[in-house]
Amino acid sequence: MSPAASSRWCPTPEQLMILEEMYRSGIRTPNASQIQLITSNLSAYGKIEGKNVFYWFQNHKARERQKLRRKLTKQLQLQQQLYHHQYQHQLQQNLPNHHFLHYFDSPAASPAFQHLSYYNSASLFPQAGIHEDAAAKQVMNYTWKFDIPERVDMDKAMMRMNGSDWLVMVDMGPPLSPPYYSTTRSRPPLKTLELFPVTATNLKEECNNSPKPLSCISNNATPANPLTFP
Amino acid sequence: MSPAASSRWCPTPEQLMILEEMYRSGIRTPNASQIQLITSNLSAYGKIEGKNVFYWFQNHKARERQKLRRKLTKQLQLQQQLYHHQYQHQLQQNLPNHHFLHYFDSPAASPAFQHLSYYNSASLFPQAGIHEDAAAKQVMNYTWKFDIPERVDMDKAMMRMNGSDWLVMVDMGPPLSPPYYSTTRSRPPLKTLELFPVTATNLKEECNNSPKPLSCISNNATPANPLTFP
DNA sequence: GCAAATTAATGATTTATTCAAG
DNA sequence: CTTGAATAAATCATTAATTTGC
């Protein structure tokens, strides 16, 4: 029988690697054309669809942001602990509170990020090689297929819309002869695609324990899933 | 010159009427095929695309829900006012507090909805003629075009997916000869489509003023948008 | 070792927010 | 102010890791 065709896409290591490489290179929200390209390239390494690529970037972006947020709030907590400790110390010794932030490795980790506004907190994290640019809002149309209306950010490779019609044709190649370039298609060898400014890394972390900064450090050291109901 | 092709869809009255009719008839989240059908039918009354239909239902559903929520919370507030007034009164007169809810016109308007849980608040509002059924979760795939994977809820009218390919072709007709049935296409005459169970009306209203129920009654009697910042 | 039971990751959907045209 | 469009957040759901008892 067929391998029951897993109900969801399971990226191959190569696919994953390439996707992550692209992400690292700055791609965050590929537009329809880009998704097409990426998909067709990745299809050399296994079954894949445009929506998989779309979702992957969506999820990856969101979860990276999430990780960052968590890290930040944790740092904030530590910081505040430190601060308070140091403060106490200073109270006792009357020392100036210079540079007590050297612990942190990121320029973003500053006490100023107490209440990160939901939006418009752009370019907070000038991480090496990644240009987070809030201005270029890269309005694209995932949601509605390759019905690219007028804005075409990329060289409109691979297809053209004509008028009010939709016509989308993506040949993924047969699921059988998958790996390592079927060489039959005109398939540009994935030159990292075009880089482009991406939307900003907006931050907002909910401190699950308490809004009060210091009491935020909980004592549940176990990484247990908080959502499981026995 | 061309009429600059308005950057967004502007539904004609007929289109709007039909859409609202469909909504009233219970359609909430039409699947790809249904969207196709609806679109192609509505295109008889003016320029329209699938995404317009999609967005319209999306937005309309959300905003109806929103209206309901607002109405509900307002009723809750009134209720609590009433309750407290009555309560005071009862304290003074020692009366039993029977049926003080007759004011409200909806079975949903009961004090039990103090803290509507985010999810699973299904079938709270058996509004006449509309079947809100949480169970039928109508998992569909808007987001990714007419790339209907396997679940086909409707008679797969109008097109067929084959294998791993996408092939979507929607002829909207040239923008010039639009209205009133071009008769060239096989276009079923819109027999209200198939009705189907839709996702539940989930409720969650943020009381912008305060989480405390009673202090929630603001003095802005105007139905102004609570999100506008002057 | 291994298979059921848990837990963690992450693909896929749905809902809420936000932007901005008109 | 209304609402079409777009994006982000929250959630659901399935798969992979991992643990646990045998």
Side-chain angles (χ1 to χ4, degrees):
Chain A
M1 65 182 88
S2 72
S6 173
S7 74
R8 70 184 211 185
W9 170 60
C10 185
T12 71
E14 293 100 328
Q15 288 174 335
L16 205 58
M17 230 170 47
I18 296 178
L19 285 171
E20 280 167 349
E21 185 53 49
M22 288 174 165
Y23 187 90
R24 263 193 303 277
S25 85
I27 294 178
R28 293 288 179 281
T29 334
N31 61 38
S33 302
Q34 292 174 308
I35 288 182
Q36 284 284 53
L37 253 171
I38 296 173
T39 302
S40 106
N41 278 289
L42 289 187
S43 72
Y45 304 98
K47 201 152 173 275
I48 190 174
E49 297 176 71
K51 67 174 182 179
N52 304 132
V53 174
F54 168 75
Y55 284 138
W56 190 89
F57 276 98
Q58 194 98 327
N59 281 321
H60 198 69
K61 183 171 54 174
R63 281 161 182 158
E64 286 296 310
R65 215 162 22 202
Q66 189 173 265
K67 270 195 277 182
L68 240 167
R69 278 188 298 224
R70 290 201 210 289
K71 201 190 296 186
L72 261 190
T73 49
K74 197 172 291 184
Q75 287 188 343
L76 262 180
Q77 294 167 0
L78 283 175
Q79 216 168 295
Q80 275 153 348
Q81 271 192 318
L82 256 186
Y83 177 76
H84 277 254
H85 286 170
Q86 189 136 351
Y87 184 62
Q88 306 283 6
H89 206 244
Q90 280 169 29
L91 283 184
Q92 296 172 4
Q93 305 202 1
N94 252 332
L95 294 175
N97 64 345
H98 289 330
H99 55 28
F100 64 91
L101 281 179
H102 284 177
Y103 166 73
F104 304 105
D105 53 8
S106 162
S110 105
F113 300 101
Q114 188 78 8
H115 290 76
L116 296 162
S117 71
Y118 198 167
Y119 275 77
N120 302 341
S121 58
S123 65
L124 289 181
F125 307 98
Q127 291 208 332
I130 300 180
H131 32 319
E132 311 274 30
D133 184 356
K137 252 206 113 194
Q138 223 239 340
V139 183
M140 271 329 281
N141 47 317
Y142 300 114
T143 331
W144 280 81
K145 40 255 44 200
F146 301 87
D147 166 37
I148 299 174
E150 44 260 353
R151 315 166 258 192
V152 178
D153 285 3
M154 231 182 141
D155 50 333
K156 35 299 223 183
M158 196 159 283
M159 58 177 182
R160 249 340 303 130
M161 299 304 115
N162 36 2
S164 56
D165 285 350
W166 294 343
L167 197 162
V168 177
M169 173 86 165
V170 183
D171 189 338
M172 296 305 185
L176 282 181
S177 58
Y180 301 108
Y181 273 85
S182 56
T183 65
T184 54
R185 299 285 159 197
S186 63
R187 192 177 280 159
L190 222 208
K191 40 189 173 191
T192 317
L193 288 167
E194 313 241 309
L195 298 192
F196 53 90
V198 291
T199 73
T201 301
N202 301 315
L203 299 185
K204 179 191 80 176
E205 175 71 310
E206 67 303 336
C207 176
N208 281 355
N209 302 325
S210 156
K212 285 173 290 184
L214 267 177
S215 63
C216 226
I217 297 170
S218 71
N219 42 13
N220 59 345
T222 65
N225 185 354
L227 288 182
T228 41
F229 299 149
Chain B
M1 65 180 91
S2 72
S6 174
S7 75
R8 71 185 212 183
W9 171 59
C10 184
T12 71
E14 292 101 328
Q15 287 175 336
L16 204 57
M17 230 168 48
I18 295 178
L19 285 171
E20 279 166 351
E21 185 52 48
M22 288 175 167
Y23 187 89
R24 263 192 303 276
S25 85
I27 293 179
R28 292 289 180 280
T29 334
N31 61 39
S33 303
Q34 291 174 309
I35 288 182
Q36 285 284 52
L37 255 171
I38 296 173
T39 303
S40 103
N41 278 290
L42 289 187
S43 71
Y45 304 99
K47 200 150 174 277
I48 190 173
E49 296 177 70
K51 67 173 182 181
N52 305 134
V53 174
F54 167 76
Y55 282 136
W56 189 90
F57 276 98
Q58 193 96 330
N59 282 320
H60 198 69
K61 181 172 60 171
R63 280 160 184 158
E64 285 297 308
R65 211 161 27 200
Q66 188 174 266
K67 270 195 277 182
L68 238 168
R69 276 189 300 223
R70 290 201 211 290
K71 202 189 297 184
L72 260 190
T73 48
K74 198 172 291 184
Q75 287 188 343
L76 261 180
Q77 294 167 1
L78 283 174
Q79 217 168 290
Q80 275 156 349
Q81 269 191 319
L82 256 187
Y83 176 76
H84 276 255
H85 285 169
Q86 189 136 351
Y87 183 61
Q88 306 283 7
H89 206 244
Q90 280 170 27
L91 283 184
Q92 295 172 5
Q93 305 202 359
N94 251 333
L95 295 175
N97 63 345
H98 290 326
H99 54 29
F100 63 92
L101 281 178
H102 284 178
Y103 166 73
F104 304 105
D105 53 8
S106 161
S110 105
F113 299 100
Q114 189 77 9
H115 291 76
L116 295 163
S117 70
Y118 197 167
Y119 275 77
N120 301 342
S121 59
S123 66
L124 289 182
F125 306 97
Q127 290 208 332
I130 299 181
H131 32 319
E132 309 275 29
D133 185 357
K137 255 206 111 191
Q138 221 243 339
V139 185
M140 269 328 281
N141 47 320
Y142 300 114
T143 331
W144 278 81
K145 40 245 58 190
F146 301 87
D147 166 36
I148 299 173
E150 45 259 355
R151 314 165 258 195
V152 177
D153 285 5
M154 235 183 138
D155 47 342
K156 34 302 224 183
M158 197 158 281
M159 59 175 181
R160 247 341 303 128
M161 298 304 115
N162 34 5
S164 57
D165 286 351
W166 294 346
L167 197 163
V168 176
M169 173 87 165
V170 182
D171 190 339
M172 296 302 185
L176 282 181
S177 60
Y180 300 106
Y181 272 86
S182 56
T183 67
T184 55
R185 298 286 159 198
S186 62
R187 193 178 280 160
L190 222 207
K191 41 190 172 190
T192 317
L193 286 167
E194 315 240 309
L195 297 192
F196 54 91
V198 290
T199 72
T201 301
N202 299 316
L203 300 183
K204 181 190 79 176
E205 177 71 308
E206 67 302 337
C207 176
N208 282 354
N209 302 326
S210 158
K212 284 173 290 183
L214 267 177
S215 63
C216 226
I217 299 171
S218 67
N219 40 15
N220 59 343
T222 65
N225 186 350
L227 289 182
T228 42
F229 299 149

